[in-house]
Amino acid sequence: SQPYYGPQPMQPMAEAPAPRRRKGLMVGGWTMLGVSYVMTSLTGAIMADACKSTSPCKRIGYYMLIPVVGPFIGIGPAQLATGKIFLGITGAIQAAGLIMGIVGTAQFVSDGKDARFDAHGLRVGRNLRLNAGPTDRFGGAMLDLRYRF
């Protein structure tokens, strides 16, 4: 015969700290796009001003003023391999920055929305929570439904 243990009082749940919104990818992506575009467009503006009007160099300079796709368009008329490599790298950096910025912004926005599941359980209604967890005795589990007034 085992001793009888009456219902045990529930221990108060610790308040979970509010989750921080992820913003590193967003800030890094938009910064990478902005800095690389400023450098590329500055170089393109210098090229457009310095080259003769009949030179393909002038067209490449104007292409470099277009963000993200401009460097890739400029690869075609470029005559030197180093120019093509420069344009390809700057276009890839701008594209990577754009993708990182978009994905990071989506993460940041979704983190700001009200979480459905937190330390207090699954939010079923405005003040109604459903939670499951192990019990201290007899190796069992419990399903807890709480309503706060």
Side-chain angles (χ1 to χ4, degrees):
S1 81
Q2 295 182 358
Y4 172 74
Y5 294 104
Q8 301 295 317
M10 293 196 58
Q11 297 176 359
M13 295 176 65
E15 287 291 324
R20 295 179 59 187
R21 294 173 78 175
R22 297 172 288 181
K23 58 184 169 193
L25 191 62
M26 176 182 68
V27 171
W30 293 126
T31 302
M32 189 162 98
L33 173 63
V35 170
S36 63
Y37 174 67
V38 165
M39 298 305 287
T40 306
S41 63
L42 182 63
T43 305
I46 292 169
M47 285 176 62
D49 288 343
C51 294
K52 296 177 184 169
S53 62
T54 58
S55 171
C57 167
K58 193 169 196 75
R59 275 191 329 183
I60 295 170
Y62 287 133
Y63 290 147
M64 290 173 68
L65 298 176
I66 304 169
V68 183
V69 297
F72 294 116
I73 296 171
I75 290 175
Q79 296 171 347
L80 300 175
T82 54
K84 291 180 186 231
I85 290 172
F86 172 75
L87 290 168
I89 289 173
T90 57
I93 291 171
Q94 287 182 23
L98 179 65
I99 292 168
M100 287 171 55
I102 290 171
V103 171
T105 302
Q107 285 180 347
F108 184 76
V109 169
S110 71
D111 287 348
K113 294 184 179 174
D114 189 23
R116 245 183 107 70
F117 190 80
D118 60 9
H120 299 290
L122 177 67
R123 188 183 64 178
V124 179
R126 182 174 172 197
N127 293 324
L128 187 63
R129 301 272 180 179
L130 180 66
N131 198 0
T135 58
D136 293 336
R137 302 188 189 255
F138 307 119
M142 67 176 186
L143 187 61
D144 185 25
L145 186 63
R146 294 185 186 189
Y147 184 79
R148 291 189 178 220
F149 295 95

